[in-house]
mmCIF file of all heavy atoms in Angstrom:
data_model
loop_
_atom_site.group_PDB
_atom_site.id
_atom_site.type_symbol
_atom_site.label_atom_id
_atom_site.label_comp_id
_atom_site.label_asym_id
_atom_site.label_seq_id
_atom_site.Cartn_x
_atom_site.Cartn_y
_atom_site.Cartn_z
ATOM 1 N N THR A 336 -14.081 -11.349 41.432
ATOM 2 C CA THR A 336 -15.188 -10.828 40.600
ATOM 3 C C THR A 336 -15.754 -9.569 41.269
ATOM 4 O O THR A 336 -15.379 -9.214 42.379
ATOM 5 C CB THR A 336 -16.241 -11.890 40.387
ATOM 6 O OG1 THR A 336 -17.221 -11.406 39.442
ATOM 7 C CG2 THR A 336 -16.933 -12.270 41.667
ATOM 8 N N VAL A 337 -16.710 -8.934 40.619
ATOM 9 C CA VAL A 337 -17.197 -7.646 41.113
ATOM 10 C C VAL A 337 -18.684 -7.508 41.013
ATOM 11 O O VAL A 337 -19.344 -8.203 40.257
ATOM 12 C CB VAL A 337 -16.515 -6.474 40.366
ATOM 13 C CG1 VAL A 337 -14.990 -6.470 40.564
ATOM 14 C CG2 VAL A 337 -16.865 -6.510 38.849
ATOM 15 N N TYR A 338 -19.234 -6.561 41.751
ATOM 16 C CA TYR A 338 -20.552 -6.033 41.584
ATOM 17 C C TYR A 338 -20.499 -4.539 41.833
ATOM 18 O O TYR A 338 -19.555 -3.994 42.345
ATOM 19 C CB TYR A 338 -21.546 -6.752 42.548
ATOM 20 C CG TYR A 338 -21.191 -6.566 44.035
ATOM 21 C CD1 TYR A 338 -21.634 -5.398 44.731
ATOM 22 C CD2 TYR A 338 -20.465 -7.520 44.711
ATOM 23 C CE1 TYR A 338 -21.314 -5.232 46.092
ATOM 24 C CE2 TYR A 338 -20.139 -7.341 46.062
ATOM 25 C CZ TYR A 338 -20.556 -6.243 46.725
ATOM 26 O OH TYR A 338 -20.217 -6.047 48.028
ATOM 27 N N LEU A 339 -21.530 -3.846 41.391
ATOM 28 C CA LEU A 339 -21.675 -2.373 41.584
ATOM 29 C C LEU A 339 -22.917 -2.009 42.399
ATOM 30 O O LEU A 339 -23.917 -2.677 42.271
ATOM 31 C CB LEU A 339 -21.704 -1.666 40.236
ATOM 32 C CG LEU A 339 -20.494 -1.800 39.332
ATOM 33 C CD1 LEU A 339 -20.749 -1.030 37.995
ATOM 34 C CD2 LEU A 339 -19.254 -1.204 39.988
ATOM 35 N N ILE A 340 -22.769 -0.953 43.202
ATOM 36 C CA ILE A 340 -23.903 -0.367 43.880
ATOM 37 C C ILE A 340 -23.946 1.093 43.530
ATOM 38 O O ILE A 340 -22.977 1.800 43.694
ATOM 39 C CB ILE A 340 -23.817 -0.563 45.454
ATOM 40 C CG1 ILE A 340 -23.752 -2.061 45.790
ATOM 41 C CG2 ILE A 340 -24.986 0.094 46.118
ATOM 42 C CD1 ILE A 340 -23.580 -2.343 47.252
ATOM 43 N N SER A 341 -25.108 1.538 43.028
ATOM 44 C CA SER A 341 -25.225 2.917 42.556
ATOM 45 C C SER A 341 -25.588 3.834 43.696
ATOM 46 O O SER A 341 -25.905 3.370 44.802
ATOM 47 C CB SER A 341 -26.340 3.001 41.492
ATOM 48 O OG SER A 341 -27.633 2.857 42.107
ATOM 49 N N PRO A 342 -25.525 5.201 43.495
ATOM 50 C CA PRO A 342 -25.880 6.147 44.532
ATOM 51 C C PRO A 342 -27.285 5.963 45.056
ATOM 52 O O PRO A 342 -27.548 6.250 46.235
ATOM 53 C CB PRO A 342 -25.754 7.487 43.867
ATOM 54 C CG PRO A 342 -24.692 7.269 42.839
ATOM 55 C CD PRO A 342 -24.947 5.878 42.292
ATOM 56 N N SER A 343 -28.224 5.447 44.244
ATOM 57 C CA SER A 343 -29.590 5.192 44.739
ATOM 58 C C SER A 343 -29.727 3.946 45.475
ATOM 59 O O SER A 343 -30.816 3.602 46.042
ATOM 60 C CB SER A 343 -30.559 5.231 43.537
ATOM 61 O OG SER A 343 -30.345 4.034 42.724
ATOM 62 N N GLY A 344 -28.668 3.118 45.549
ATOM 63 C CA GLY A 344 -28.712 1.869 46.247
ATOM 64 C C GLY A 344 -28.955 0.656 45.407
ATOM 65 O O GLY A 344 -29.049 -0.498 45.873
ATOM 66 N N GLU A 345 -29.162 0.809 44.070
ATOM 67 C CA GLU A 345 -29.383 -0.311 43.183
ATOM 68 C C GLU A 345 -28.103 -1.155 43.065
ATOM 69 O O GLU A 345 -27.026 -0.618 42.810
ATOM 70 C CB GLU A 345 -29.804 0.224 41.800
ATOM 71 C CG GLU A 345 -30.219 -0.883 40.881
ATOM 72 C CD GLU A 345 -30.747 -0.304 39.559
ATOM 73 O OE1 GLU A 345 -30.865 0.936 39.436
ATOM 74 O OE2 GLU A 345 -31.021 -1.092 38.649
ATOM 75 N N ARG A 346 -28.239 -2.451 43.284
ATOM 76 C CA ARG A 346 -27.106 -3.377 43.232
ATOM 77 C C ARG A 346 -27.142 -4.216 42.029
ATOM 78 O O ARG A 346 -28.159 -4.859 41.721
ATOM 79 C CB ARG A 346 -27.085 -4.194 44.491
ATOM 80 C CG ARG A 346 -25.806 -5.097 44.677
ATOM 81 C CD ARG A 346 -26.049 -6.069 45.809
ATOM 82 N NE ARG A 346 -24.797 -6.769 46.190
ATOM 83 C CZ ARG A 346 -24.307 -7.864 45.557
ATOM 84 N NH1 ARG A 346 -24.928 -8.317 44.448
ATOM 85 N NH2 ARG A 346 -23.170 -8.451 46.021
ATOM 86 N N SER A 347 -26.022 -4.309 41.291
ATOM 87 C CA SER A 347 -25.965 -5.209 40.154
ATOM 88 C C SER A 347 -25.724 -6.639 40.622
ATOM 89 O O SER A 347 -25.273 -6.866 41.788
ATOM 90 C CB SER A 347 -24.834 -4.810 39.237
ATOM 91 O OG SER A 347 -23.577 -5.218 39.780
ATOM 92 N N PRO A 348 -26.009 -7.655 39.813
ATOM 93 C CA PRO A 348 -25.553 -9.023 40.167
ATOM 94 C C PRO A 348 -24.052 -9.102 40.246
ATOM 95 O O PRO A 348 -23.357 -8.311 39.630
ATOM 96 C CB PRO A 348 -26.120 -9.826 38.956
ATOM 97 C CG PRO A 348 -27.059 -8.982 38.258
ATOM 98 C CD PRO A 348 -26.646 -7.583 38.509
ATOM 99 N N THR A 349 -23.584 -10.052 41.024
ATOM 100 C CA THR A 349 -22.145 -10.364 41.003
ATOM 101 C C THR A 349 -21.858 -11.022 39.651
ATOM 102 O O THR A 349 -22.527 -11.971 39.287
ATOM 103 C CB THR A 349 -21.773 -11.309 42.147
ATOM 104 O OG1 THR A 349 -22.086 -10.648 43.367
ATOM 105 C CG2 THR A 349 -20.296 -11.630 42.122
ATOM 106 N N LEU A 350 -20.854 -10.502 38.980
ATOM 107 C CA LEU A 350 -20.665 -10.933 37.590
ATOM 108 C C LEU A 350 -20.016 -12.310 37.534
ATOM 109 O O LEU A 350 -19.056 -12.639 38.247
ATOM 110 C CB LEU A 350 -19.757 -9.912 36.819
ATOM 111 C CG LEU A 350 -20.352 -8.481 36.823
ATOM 112 C CD1 LEU A 350 -19.465 -7.624 35.927
ATOM 113 C CD2 LEU A 350 -21.795 -8.471 36.330
ATOM 114 N N SER A 351 -20.506 -13.090 36.604
ATOM 115 C CA SER A 351 -19.952 -14.421 36.333
ATOM 116 C C SER A 351 -18.615 -14.346 35.623
ATOM 117 O O SER A 351 -18.462 -13.503 34.748
ATOM 118 C CB SER A 351 -20.935 -15.234 35.534
ATOM 119 O OG SER A 351 -20.376 -16.489 35.130
ATOM 120 N N LEU A 352 -17.695 -15.170 36.002
ATOM 121 C CA LEU A 352 -16.367 -15.145 35.402
ATOM 122 C C LEU A 352 -16.288 -16.090 34.200
ATOM 123 O O LEU A 352 -16.021 -17.288 34.351
ATOM 124 C CB LEU A 352 -15.324 -15.512 36.434
ATOM 125 C CG LEU A 352 -14.995 -14.434 37.448
ATOM 126 C CD1 LEU A 352 -14.008 -14.962 38.486
ATOM 127 C CD2 LEU A 352 -14.452 -13.196 36.803
ATOM 128 N N ARG A 353 -16.547 -15.575 33.038
ATOM 129 C CA ARG A 353 -16.335 -16.322 31.794
ATOM 130 C C ARG A 353 -15.232 -15.595 31.009
ATOM 131 O O ARG A 353 -15.369 -14.403 30.777
ATOM 132 C CB ARG A 353 -17.628 -16.478 31.003
ATOM 133 C CG ARG A 353 -18.680 -17.249 31.680
ATOM 134 C CD ARG A 353 -19.820 -17.618 30.689
ATOM 135 N NE ARG A 353 -20.441 -16.398 30.143
ATOM 136 C CZ ARG A 353 -21.424 -15.816 30.690
ATOM 137 N NH1 ARG A 353 -21.942 -16.240 31.854
ATOM 138 N NH2 ARG A 353 -21.928 -14.719 30.159
ATOM 139 N N GLN A 354 -14.205 -16.287 30.653
ATOM 140 C CA GLN A 354 -13.056 -15.640 29.993
ATOM 141 C C GLN A 354 -13.530 -14.746 28.825
ATOM 142 O O GLN A 354 -14.225 -15.186 27.891
ATOM 143 C CB GLN A 354 -12.098 -16.711 29.477
ATOM 144 C CG GLN A 354 -11.016 -16.206 28.550
ATOM 145 C CD GLN A 354 -10.072 -15.214 29.266
ATOM 146 O OE1 GLN A 354 -10.053 -15.178 30.473
ATOM 147 N NE2 GLN A 354 -9.412 -14.393 28.508
#
Side-chain angles (χ1 to χ4, degrees):
T336 186
V337 296
Y338 59 85
L339 295 178
I340 300 177
S341 73
S343 69
E345 187 176 354
R346 186 190 191 279
S347 76
T349 299
L350 302 188
S351 172
L352 287 177
R353 293 192 300 271
Q354 169 63 20

